[in-house]
Amino acid sequence: MKVLRKNGEIVEVNFEQQEGKKAFWHTSAHVLAQAVKRLYPQTKCAIGPAIENGFYYDFEFDFSFSEEHLKAIETEMRKIVKESLSLQVYEKSKEEALSFMDNAGEKYKIELIQRLNDAEQISFYKQGEYEEFCAGPHISNVCQIKAIKLLSVAGAYWRGNEKNKMLTRIYGISFPKAAQLEEYLHMVEEAKARDHRKLGKELGIFTIFDQGPGLPVFLPKGMILKNLLIDYWRKIHRREGYVEISTPIMLERSLWETSGHWDFYRDAMYSLKVEDDDYAIKPMSCPGGMLVYKLEPRSYKELPMRMGELGLVHRNEKSGTLHGLMRVRSFTQDDAHIFMREDQVMDEIQGVMRLIDEVYQKFGFSYEIELSTRPEHSIGSDEDWQLATEALEKAVQGMGKSYTVNEGDGAFYGPKLDFHIKDSIGRTWQCGTIQLDFQLPQRFDIDYIGADGEKHRPIMLHRVVFGSIERFIGILLEHYAGKFPAWIAPVQVKVLPVSDKYNDYAKRVEGALKENDVRVEVDVRNEKLGYKIREARMDKVPYMIIVGENEKTNMSVSVRQRDAELDKQDMGEMSLEQVVNLILNL
């Protein structure tokens, strides 16, 4: 696939690469705008970026937009693709760009150009009669788009501000092969069936009240699942030499000024007054961890010091971005901070990588690694950033792992490795991260006494494995389609008496299983057995135990399993001891 960059260079890029997808979907957005302007010339164009999956474009129509308009636009887009229009890139001065957009009547484009530097040369991309100022990159010819589909329409305020005009946002997807579109649309349908919001409600995992948007509430079964993940997290972190701490949910403004969050992250933070002093509710736990480190003098012999924290954090997410457990305003971050000497950096990065690999394998996830470099707004010297970035690169290479580079997307205090897991239907989710930080140790003036008796500055790793426990649960719900592996299923066994006559025996079976820490429920409702079995299947319980006259007489149970082919689900009659061993061995 040929990509046309802003400098006029044409390069060969794979669609699967970040630059390839961005160029492909950004060009598709331009094709969408071109089709709209052909069909409805009075329409005003706003913005049309490539996004994680596809693209969108915001328009101001002078009529009520309908499904028929969407179909007409999609048909026109296909016509444009067949015209095999090559893209050209050229530059205009700010004055020329403003004049061009003024003649075109594009008020939103004018507003965007006015915000640019007066001396800046502005790049324009042109395909046929359509041209737009844009930084690119784009594919070199629209004929490379072999499959295109407009997916949905939504309202969107101009510049995300509810005080501005509501525009019409059209979402779409496109691919270089028709088969890829078919595969994607199948995945979308599969994703709808796996929607964690729907499954979370049906399985009694979580809810979100109207009185608390973005603030998830875990129900009893959800708390079992959450605690199982936390227990597992604690077990492997104890093994790896971490100590666990807990820092306050809110701290004084001066702390966030020292850390840099007040300047670089304030829009995402909730703040409040406490006796006339400014406080902030923590969006992350690292500043509190710095205070814990500073409590007493540290020796080089104590390093590396690994501090873990299951911190409840809050972030000021816009209401339009909230989505079940995936994007929330309150979540539990499985944070940890490692304070280390310079000679320990490589071992510690790779140690965290091995831990992340172990956890993701446990849940059946493959993953990809992305190295994010220095962002535009950041702190620290170029030398520190270069050293930190090279250390992360060498650590990944030393583990024999491949990675891609995401330019300019690091944290404001350091570069990072992001771990994108792939679920059972091929979607990727960013979960784990490792951030190498030279800056906060300097800003907080922390040190340790070295072997030479002098003070030295430690280096710091910020890292998470799950990322957000709430979000990880949402991912697991969709990955397994609600059919959790038995070891983390909130209910592992459901006991189903054939009739009321056997309720007492069913209760005895339940008690015996509970004594052995098996998570079990018994269904003593006055319903037919077939109904109870269907209900247990709907609840996606891994094992069903059926008890009747034969089982009561033999002090046994009949077992059915969820995760087997239909003709192999009936596991036959077993003793209670055998059932307990079956579950515990999982």
Side-chain angles (χ1 to χ4, degrees):
M1 184 174 75
K2 288 183 169 58
V3 167
L4 175 62
R5 290 177 176 165
K6 182 180 177 178
N7 62 4
E9 180 185 12
I10 295 178
V11 294
E12 193 73 33
V13 176
N14 191 298
F15 175 75
E16 296 304 323
Q17 293 176 281
Q18 186 179 17
E19 184 181 19
K21 278 186 177 174
K22 182 180 179 182
F24 198 91
W25 285 336
H26 203 167
T27 307
S28 301
H30 280 211
V31 173
L32 167 56
Q34 185 176 11
V36 166
K37 294 296 283 186
R38 280 188 180 182
L39 295 173
Y40 316 109
Q42 301 308 311
T43 300
K44 309 300 180 194
C45 297
I47 58 171
I51 54 177
E52 184 178 1
N53 284 302
F55 57 91
Y56 72 77
Y57 214 113
D58 290 345
F59 301 100
E60 181 188 322
F61 293 103
D62 59 1
F63 54 84
S64 180
F65 197 81
S66 70
E67 186 68 28
E68 293 307 311
H69 294 118
L70 193 69
K71 290 178 182 176
I73 293 168
E74 187 179 287
T75 299
E76 189 65 30
M77 290 177 73
R78 293 196 180 101
K79 289 180 184 176
I80 292 169
V81 168
K82 287 180 180 177
E83 292 173 19
S84 296
L85 302 174
S86 292
L87 276 82
Q88 301 154 23
V89 62
Y90 57 93
E91 290 184 337
K92 292 180 185 286
S93 68
K94 182 176 181 180
E95 185 179 349
E96 290 170 333
L98 285 170
S99 175
F100 178 86
M101 289 302 175
D102 186 46
N103 291 335
E106 294 289 2
K107 60 183 182 181
Y108 297 108
K109 301 295 186 186
I110 291 171
E111 185 178 332
L112 292 172
I113 294 171
Q114 285 173 337
R115 298 170 67 90
L116 300 176
N117 190 301
D118 288 343
E120 188 173 345
Q121 286 292 109
I122 300 168
S123 59
F124 274 68
Y125 279 83
K126 185 177 189 296
Q127 58 199 48
E129 81 288 357
Y130 182 80
E131 48 193 313
E132 180 174 337
F133 85 93
C134 182
H138 287 274
I139 54 177
S140 61
N141 192 299
V142 299
C143 70
Q144 297 179 67
I145 303 171
K146 301 300 183 185
I148 199 161
K149 177 74 176 174
L150 296 183
L151 300 171
S152 62
V153 178
Y157 291 110
W158 170 235
R159 301 193 66 78
N161 188 335
E162 60 270 19
K163 294 178 182 178
N164 291 336
K165 187 174 182 64
M166 175 74 78
L167 305 177
T168 300
R169 177 170 293 179
I170 300 176
Y171 287 95
I173 191 76
S174 59
F175 292 97
K177 295 179 182 177
Q180 290 171 302
L181 176 61
E182 290 179 21
E183 183 181 333
Y184 176 81
L185 294 176
H186 173 73
M187 185 194 75
V188 169
E189 288 305 308
E190 184 68 20
K192 287 179 183 176
R194 293 168 177 261
D195 190 323
H196 75 282
R197 295 167 298 178
K198 171 176 170 285
L199 290 170
K201 181 179 180 180
E202 292 173 353
L203 300 177
I205 302 296
F206 78 98
T207 189
I208 296 176
F209 296 129
D210 293 340
Q211 295 87 343
L215 304 171
V217 175
F218 280 98
L219 305 175
K221 289 179 182 174
M223 280 306 300
I224 292 172
L225 177 56
K226 185 176 181 181
N227 285 330
L228 285 167
L229 291 176
I230 288 173
D231 290 344
Y232 172 58
W233 183 92
R234 285 190 166 124
K235 178 181 178 181
I236 59 176
H237 281 75
R238 280 195 301 269
R239 183 197 73 199
E240 296 297 317
Y242 287 78
V243 294
E244 187 176 352
I245 63 171
S246 177
T247 60
I249 198 170
M250 66 178 187
L251 290 160
E252 196 180 41
R253 170 179 172 170
S254 61
L255 178 79
W256 304 106
E257 288 175 333
T258 300
S259 70
H261 289 88
W262 196 262
D263 293 324
F264 292 92
Y265 208 75
R266 188 177 173 186
D267 288 346
M269 296 167 67
Y270 295 106
S271 57
L272 69 160
K273 287 279 189 183
V274 179
E275 295 182 348
D276 297 326
D277 292 325
D278 289 325
Y279 277 69
I281 298 175
K282 68 178 181 182
M284 50 193 71
S285 299
C286 39
M290 304 299 287
L291 296 183
V292 173
Y293 182 92
K294 289 190 72 170
L295 277 174
E296 56 189 90
R298 305 292 181 181
S299 162
Y300 74 98
K301 295 179 181 179
E302 297 177 72
L303 304 184
M305 180 179 291
R306 306 182 187 109
M307 288 185 190
E309 176 170 10
L310 294 160
L312 181 63
V313 300
H314 291 74
R315 295 182 183 174
N316 186 13
E317 302 285 358
K318 291 186 180 295
S319 59
T321 66
L322 300 176
H323 180 75
L325 296 176
M326 303 303 194
R327 181 62 70 97
V328 294
R329 288 173 171 158
S330 172
F331 58 94
T332 306
Q333 192 174 49
D334 65 313
D335 217 344
H337 301 98
I338 301 174
F339 302 90
M340 57 199 169
R341 306 188 308 265
E342 189 174 345
D343 61 300
Q344 297 170 325
V345 169
M346 196 63 59
D347 285 344
E348 291 306 305
I349 296 172
Q350 293 183 341
V352 175
M353 288 182 68
R354 281 189 285 271
L355 184 65
I356 289 174
D357 183 79
E358 176 186 342
V359 172
Y360 293 172
Q361 283 195 41
K362 170 74 77 174
F363 293 97
F365 290 123
S366 61
Y367 61 89
E368 297 171 352
I369 302 174
E370 186 177 74
L371 171 63
S372 296
T373 59
R374 185 171 192 169
E376 182 180 352
H377 301 291
S378 57
I379 57 177
S381 68
D382 289 340
E383 182 185 6
D384 283 349
W385 275 85
Q386 184 176 349
L387 286 171
T389 304
E390 288 176 356
L392 290 175
E393 285 182 313
K394 289 177 182 176
V396 179
Q397 292 164 357
M399 294 284 287
K401 300 284 188 181
S402 60
Y403 65 97
T404 57
V405 177
N406 185 6
E407 295 287 353
D409 200 42
F412 70 83
Y413 46 77
K416 60 178 180 171
L417 298 175
D418 285 330
F419 294 76
H420 298 261
I421 61 175
K422 184 174 285 189
D423 69 15
S424 59
I425 59 172
R427 297 169 301 177
T428 57
W429 308 89
Q430 194 271 306
C431 289
T433 188
I434 302 173
Q435 302 169 352
L436 186 54
D437 181 6
F438 288 28
Q439 307 312 318
L440 290 195
Q442 293 179 36
R443 293 176 76 97
F444 279 88
D445 192 27
I446 64 172
D447 54 45
Y448 67 90
I449 304 300
D452 58 3
E454 299 295 325
K455 287 185 178 181
H456 297 269
R457 185 83 67 202
I459 299 170
M460 185 176 177
L461 271 187
H462 308 247
R463 43 111 298 185
V464 294
V465 180
F466 293 139
S468 154
I469 291 179
E470 285 75 5
R471 187 166 182 266
F472 199 77
I473 288 172
I475 294 168
L476 291 178
L477 272 165
E478 298 199 2
H479 177 60
Y480 295 124
K483 294 182 177 180
F484 294 111
W487 74 278
I488 57 166
V491 178
Q492 296 171 310
V493 176
K494 207 155 207 179
V495 183
L496 310 177
V498 171
S499 69
D500 292 354
K501 201 164 116 179
Y502 306 104
N503 283 354
D504 287 345
Y505 181 62
K507 288 282 190 182
R508 286 172 60 190
V509 170
E510 178 194 29
L513 293 174
K514 281 184 174 178
E515 284 178 7
N516 287 277
D517 294 325
V518 175
R519 298 186 294 278
V520 57
E521 287 182 352
V522 60
D523 188 344
V524 293
R525 292 177 298 169
N526 187 23
E527 300 285 355
K528 291 183 178 178
L529 179 62
Y531 179 83
K532 292 180 181 180
I533 290 173
R534 283 193 300 275
E535 288 279 291
R537 284 178 177 158
M538 291 291 288
D539 289 341
K540 307 184 190 300
V541 178
Y543 292 93
M544 287 177 276
I545 285 179
I546 297 169
V547 294
E549 184 61 39
N550 188 57
E551 289 78 16
K552 183 179 179 181
T553 301
N554 296 335
M555 294 296 289
S556 64
V557 294
S558 292
V559 182
R560 292 190 182 189
Q561 61 179 326
R562 178 195 66 197
D563 298 325
E565 295 175 12
L566 197 60
D567 60 342
K568 296 178 181 177
Q569 289 180 351
D570 191 344
M571 299 178 70
E573 196 170 342
M574 295 184 185
S575 68
L576 275 178
E577 184 181 2
Q578 287 175 308
V579 173
V580 168
N581 288 334
L582 171 70
I583 304 299
L584 295 184
N585 285 337
L586 297 170

